[in-house]
Amino acid sequence: MIDLYKRYAKGGALFLLFSLGFAGNYFKLSLFYGFDFLFGSIFLMVLLNLFGVAWGVFATVLASSCTYLFWHHPYGIIVFSLEVLFVGIVNRKRDKNIVLLDGIFWLCIGSPLNWLLYYGIMKASFHMVLFVVLKQSVNGIFNALIASVILDYFPIQKWIGSSEIRKKVSIQQAMFNLILAVILVPVLLIMVMNSRKTFLDIEGDITNKLRNTAIEARHLVNQFIQRHMEGVGALSDAAAGTGPVTSKDLQDKVRTIKGLFPYFHNMYVANAMGVTVAFYPERNEKGNSTIGLDFSDRAYYRELKRSLRPVMSDVFQGRGGVFLPIVTLSAPILEKGQFKGFALGALDLNRFKDEVGRLTEAWGVKAMVLDGKDKVVASTNEAFLPLQTMDLREKGEIIPLHPDIYQWLPPVNTAKSAFGRWTNSFYILETPVGNGVPWKVLLSVPVAPYQRQLYESTYIYTFSFMLVII
């Protein structure tokens, strides 16, 4: 009966410690995306000391396998298993201070191995690797300390009916663990709280920058479109006076008004059939005449005839006058309420991009202007060109932060690690331009510069200080 009790007690303790080890790794304490404190090795160290090296390593491999889910690489499994293996082999007689042994492991094996894996194989930045090395060392030693306290001051062996009696704790070991606990526990708690505050402060700074830039960007786009729409309206009024027919007078008016609006590629007047009767420049880049071109198949032409109101097109590929992606602003020519033709200007999107860039890059922000179909009109990010359809949800992962702001992370399969995804992520604000302009502005701020600031200002110095004290 006693033997049966011992068997069940040991089996239950083994299962409980493994479950706690797995839970301690799975339910992590996140400092920020991709960087977590794990507490599973507390229970795995206890399991190691109660059940031996084989069970300890086996349980650690299984319990740390969940790190692959949120770190996206197997290095956590490798390092944590080696940690348990090292402590278990060196401490076979179970009479040594596992905190010291764990500290030796991280100093001589764990840290160099992490440096090799993260810096040599994953090509992470120096500051990121230094942070990982320091964080895992402190985390590992802290876990070993808590495990040592559990083993030294709780009669677990007696509870499970083990015949092995653990050696009494020496006064030196008790004092060492006590002093270390007094240092590590409060500093770790304070650091976690401060880190969250620092992270939220940085996130707030990014949010304010995006919102302030958005106000300026919306105003700029609105003013730009309104100003150029007035230019097209002026040409429409001028053509209404002469009639939309080919004449030197009308051609001169087109040339004059185009000269006042250099952000237009070209301007023209077309008759009610959609055929150009005046055009500046008179020849396109291929040397062909621009008079007599038929644009009656264009969507803006159909909309002008239907609504008899000014029309702003989506971005499309130009032809005839210019062979680049363009946006057109057009206004109908009316006579007694009847559609007689229209005046049009084709915007130079490269120059429009420069106008947007002068504003947003002063704030350290990248900008995109999208039309009503989410196609790129202009972008200060060279990776996105006009006419591209922009759907960030298809190209990565979206994490909502506020109603108007979200964090975009690249796909899992494009990064070797979670922190690699975080490094290449962006905070993005998406807002409609409004005031009758059916576009939206998309502003983005890269995380990388703030990430390095977070390492240097908070974590590297704190972790280094803790390790020096230890």
Side-chain angles (χ1 to χ4, degrees):
M1 189 71 178
I2 294 176
D3 290 340
L4 186 62
Y5 165 77
K6 288 181 180 180
R7 189 179 306 118
Y8 280 114
K10 287 184 177 180
L14 181 64
F15 179 77
L16 177 62
L17 289 170
F18 166 74
S19 299
L20 290 172
F22 184 90
N25 287 337
Y26 186 81
F27 297 104
K28 56 194 184 296
L29 176 62
S30 293
L31 295 176
F32 38 79
Y33 188 87
F35 293 98
D36 316 295
F37 275 113
L38 307 180
F39 301 105
S41 64
I42 294 173
F43 308 101
L44 297 170
M45 284 288 184
V46 174
L47 187 152
L48 167 72
N49 277 265
L50 293 177
F51 297 99
V53 176
W55 276 113
V57 173
F58 178 71
T60 301
V61 171
L62 293 181
S64 59
S65 61
C66 61
T67 62
Y68 189 88
L69 298 176
F70 40 80
W71 289 348
H72 312 307
H73 59 69
Y75 302 150
I77 303 172
I78 297 170
V79 174
F80 296 149
S81 300
L82 287 175
E83 178 189 15
V84 169
L85 179 63
F86 174 85
V87 173
I89 290 175
V90 177
N91 195 32
R92 279 189 178 276
K93 294 183 179 180
R94 304 175 194 178
D95 59 354
K96 295 179 175 63
N97 189 335
I98 63 172
V99 183
L100 289 174
L101 294 181
D102 200 69
I104 293 170
F105 167 81
W106 286 108
L107 177 66
C108 300
I109 300 175
S111 295
L113 182 59
N114 272 328
W115 198 276
L116 173 65
L117 295 175
Y118 285 86
Y119 193 73
I121 297 177
M122 296 173 63
K123 308 300 181 185
S125 69
F126 173 82
H127 287 87
M128 186 180 293
V129 176
L130 183 58
F131 169 78
V132 170
V133 168
L134 294 172
K135 188 271 294 183
Q136 288 201 2
S137 298
V138 171
N139 192 179
I141 294 171
F142 175 84
N143 289 351
L145 171 64
I146 303 302
S148 179
V149 170
I150 293 172
L151 289 165
D152 291 342
Y153 299 105
F154 291 88
I156 300 178
Q157 289 174 311
K158 183 178 179 181
W159 293 345
I160 65 175
S162 175
S163 57
E164 292 187 40
I165 302 298
R166 186 174 171 83
K167 188 177 179 180
K168 289 186 177 181
V169 182
S170 67
I171 186 66
Q172 292 93 337
Q173 181 169 328
M175 289 299 296
F176 175 82
N177 288 350
L178 177 62
I179 293 170
L180 199 57
V182 168
I183 294 171
L184 277 184
V185 175
V187 172
L188 205 58
L189 290 174
I190 292 171
M191 192 205 69
V192 169
M193 290 187 290
N194 285 343
S195 74
R196 294 302 303 167
K197 181 180 182 303
T198 303
F199 180 72
L200 291 174
D201 287 346
I202 289 176
E203 196 171 82
D205 179 52
I206 295 173
T207 298
N208 290 335
K209 177 182 287 189
L210 284 170
R211 286 183 174 148
N212 290 334
T213 309
I215 294 171
E216 298 289 338
R218 285 197 301 266
H219 179 72
L220 182 147
V221 174
N222 265 308
Q223 290 291 97
F224 182 89
I225 296 301
Q226 181 181 341
R227 185 169 68 251
H228 286 78
M229 189 63 85
E230 288 172 355
V232 172
L235 180 58
S236 173
D237 292 341
T242 62
V245 293
T246 302
S247 68
K248 183 178 184 303
D249 184 38
L250 182 57
Q251 183 65 30
D252 289 341
K253 289 179 179 178
V254 175
R255 180 187 299 105
T256 300
I257 295 175
K258 166 63 178 71
L260 298 175
F261 294 91
Y263 283 84
F264 281 130
H265 271 301
N266 53 56
M267 297 187 78
Y268 70 78
V269 174
N271 61 24
M273 304 300 293
V275 177
T276 59
V277 295
F279 205 116
Y280 187 83
E282 296 179 49
R283 293 190 176 276
N284 61 26
E285 61 187 36
K286 295 182 179 180
N288 299 325
S289 173
T290 51
I291 305 297
L293 297 175
D294 186 351
F295 293 116
S296 60
D297 62 329
R298 289 299 195 187
Y300 59 77
Y301 170 75
R302 294 191 294 272
E303 181 62 19
L304 281 165
K305 288 189 70 174
R306 185 194 67 79
S307 68
L308 302 180
R309 296 173 62 85
V311 171
M312 178 179 177
S313 77
D314 290 323
V315 62
F316 64 93
Q317 185 69 38
R319 73 161 197 266
V322 62
F323 301 93
L324 296 170
I326 55 172
V327 167
T328 60
L329 306 178
S330 52
I333 301 170
L334 303 177
E335 183 179 315
K336 297 180 181 181
Q338 297 297 311
F339 180 75
K340 294 298 181 179
F342 62 95
L344 179 143
L347 288 173
D348 184 336
L349 299 185
N350 282 327
R351 300 191 71 172
F352 175 58
K353 177 195 74 174
D354 294 339
E355 187 86 357
V356 174
R358 275 191 288 273
L359 165 70
T360 56
E361 289 181 9
W363 291 80
V365 174
K366 294 291 185 182
M368 271 190 285
V369 179
L370 307 180
D371 68 12
K373 296 178 180 177
D374 285 338
K375 290 185 178 180
V376 176
V377 175
S379 172
T380 62
N381 186 336
E382 299 301 328
F384 300 99
L385 300 174
L387 282 177
Q388 281 186 245
T389 300
M390 196 65 197
D391 189 346
L392 290 172
R393 288 166 178 80
E394 286 186 358
K395 298 178 184 297
E397 179 184 356
I398 298 296
I399 301 177
L401 301 174
H402 305 281
D404 57 338
I405 297 175
Y406 53 86
Q407 185 178 6
W408 178 86
L409 295 108
V412 174
N413 59 4
T414 62
K416 295 180 180 178
S417 64
F419 66 73
R421 293 183 73 207
W422 189 45
T423 301
N424 294 308
S425 71
F426 292 84
Y427 285 94
I428 294 177
L429 181 147
E430 196 172 312
T431 180
V433 172
N435 290 340
V437 179
W439 289 356
K440 59 186 173 185
V441 174
L442 191 148
L443 304 174
S444 63
V445 173
V447 166
Y450 294 91
Q451 187 186 58
R452 179 167 177 171
Q453 175 188 337
L454 198 61
Y455 296 153
E456 294 178 344
S457 65
T458 304
Y459 298 112
I460 290 177
Y461 294 121
T462 304
F463 284 138
S464 299
F465 172 77
M466 292 171 72
L467 286 176
V468 167
I469 294 299
I470 292 169

